[in-house]
């Protein structure tokens, strides 16, 4: 049995998965410099979460670099610091939304482009967009950097029961029950936004999908999330193939 096939405890696996999400997002061009952040509730807890460290490009993060933070903002494990806005955004969402075990925040290009439009919305115009029908919330007020609990709480309230939040003039937050589910949604959200922006750039009217069809389609997609898990597992295989050392020691 080689090292990759050895049994791994759930907390180590969680750090591996979070690192895989960061590296895969970087390979897809979804990151921005050393900004933006991904977090995951520590398995078996409801008051601590893992998050990527400050000052690291997503393409270089390994499981050993992941930082553990408590809800008071204290680093309880890890050798690095955490970027301040990362704490205020992620801690308040983890604390206020039990379903948001994984929280992904990016400034990915096409989704962010929609946040720059007056009342920009993800329109029900593509099959990919159906994945998010009825699951998206919008924060239409830009308040500058999220540097206090109040701003984090405001974002959390805007998110509500949705799993995706578009932040005006800023970017997006995608949440999920697992890294695999959240990352799959993040990827397809950007693809849906890209298709919409490209279609809108023609100047022609977007073809809307009827509400009843949209409601049926999202139910069909939600009925089985196996494809989301398979997608994420395939991304880890690609990292194993192309990015030796990404799993750390």
């Amino acid at each position: 049995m080689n090292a990759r096939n050895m049994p791994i405890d759930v907390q180590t696996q969680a750090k591996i998965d979070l690192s895989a999400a960061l590296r895969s997002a970087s390979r897809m061009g979804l990151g921005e410099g050393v900004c933006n952040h991904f977090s995951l509730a520590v398995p078996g807890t409801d008051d601590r979460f893992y998050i990527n460290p400050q000052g690291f490009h997503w393409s270089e993060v390994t499981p050993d670099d992941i930082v553990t933070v408590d809800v008071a903002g204290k680093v309880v494990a890890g050798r690095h610091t955490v970027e301040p806005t990362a704490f205020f955004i992620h801690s308040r969402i983890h604390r206020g939304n039990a379903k948001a075990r994984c929280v992904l925040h990016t400034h990915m290009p096409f989704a962010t482009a929609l946040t720059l439009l007056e009342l920009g919305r993800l329109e029900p115009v593509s099959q990919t967009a159906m994945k998010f029908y009825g699951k998206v919330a919008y924060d239409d007020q830009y308040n500058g950097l999220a540097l206090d609990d109040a701003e984090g709480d405001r974002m959390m309230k805007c998110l509500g029961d949705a799993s995706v939040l578009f932040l005006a003039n800023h970017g997006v937050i995608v949440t999920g029950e697992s890294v695999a589910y959240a990352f799959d949604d993040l990827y397809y959200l950007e693809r849906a936004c890209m298709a919409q922006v490209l279609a809108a750039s023609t100047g022609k009217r977007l073809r809307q999908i009827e509400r009843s069809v949209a409601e049926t389609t999202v139910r069909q997609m939600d009925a089985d999330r196996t494809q989301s898990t398979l997608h994420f597992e395939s991304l880890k295989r690609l990292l194993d193939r192309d990015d030796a050392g990404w799993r750390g020691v």
Side-chain angles (χ1 to χ4, degrees):
M1 180 180 291
N2 62 39
R4 277 182 50 203
N5 294 325
M6 292 291 288
I8 298 175
D9 66 85
V10 293
Q11 293 191 355
T12 299
Q13 186 62 58
K15 292 181 182 180
I16 289 172
D17 287 349
L18 195 59
S19 300
L22 289 159
R23 290 207 177 209
S24 296
S26 178
R27 288 158 68 99
M28 296 172 181
L30 305 183
E32 187 172 64
V34 295
C35 301
N36 303 172
H37 3 87
F38 288 4
S39 66
L40 175 66
V42 175
T45 77
D46 58 7
D47 62 350
R48 297 184 179 188
F49 59 92
Y50 297 130
I51 197 162
N52 51 301
Q54 183 177 24
F56 279 66
H57 196 274
W58 288 358
S59 65
E60 63 178 331
V61 173
T62 71
D64 301 321
D65 295 315
I66 298 297
V67 180
T68 307
V69 182
D70 67 18
V71 293
K74 179 182 177 182
V75 173
V76 296
R79 58 196 184 195
H80 307 295
T81 58
V82 175
E83 197 269 312
T85 64
F87 170 72
F88 289 114
I89 292 173
H90 291 254
S91 68
R92 309 315 287 181
I93 292 176
H94 280 297
R95 190 173 185 175
N97 189 329
K99 295 186 296 182
R101 298 295 291 175
C102 184
V103 179
L104 311 180
H105 170 52
T106 76
H107 302 166
M108 52 191 189
F110 288 96
T112 300
L114 291 187
T115 76
L116 309 184
L117 301 174
E118 188 70 31
L119 295 179
R121 299 291 187 260
L122 178 64
E123 300 288 348
V125 293
S126 70
Q127 177 169 287
T128 305
M130 295 302 94
K131 184 178 178 69
F132 306 100
Y133 190 80
K135 301 177 182 179
V136 179
Y138 299 90
D139 173 9
D140 290 323
Q141 179 182 345
Y142 178 69
N143 277 346
L145 300 183
L147 290 174
D148 54 43
D149 286 342
E151 184 63 7
D153 284 338
R154 193 185 67 79
M155 290 181 178
M156 182 269 293
K157 290 176 182 177
C158 287
L159 176 66
D161 292 329
S163 60
V164 175
L165 178 63
F166 280 77
L167 303 167
N169 308 98
H170 184 175
V172 293
I173 295 172
V174 177
T175 69
E177 298 175 6
S178 67
V179 179
Y181 286 10
F183 190 86
D184 189 65
D185 286 353
L186 185 80
Y187 169 80
Y188 282 107
L189 179 66
E190 179 69 348
R191 297 289 294 188
C193 293
M194 179 173 69
Q196 180 178 321
V197 169
L198 291 173
S201 71
T202 67
K204 295 184 178 180
R205 187 174 180 178
L206 296 175
R207 177 184 293 157
Q208 301 288 316
I209 294 174
E210 292 182 8
R211 177 176 178 175
S212 60
V213 175
E215 291 172 344
T216 297
T217 306
V218 72
R219 285 197 300 270
Q220 292 170 332
M221 291 178 169
D222 285 345
D224 185 359
R225 292 293 308 251
T226 301
Q227 197 76 350
S228 300
T229 302
L230 293 174
H231 180 201
F232 194 62
E233 290 302 311
S234 75
L235 295 176
K236 287 188 281 189
R237 290 195 300 272
L238 292 180
L239 289 172
D240 288 333
R241 185 193 70 187
D242 300 333
D243 204 353
W246 77 270
R247 291 177 182 263
V249 296

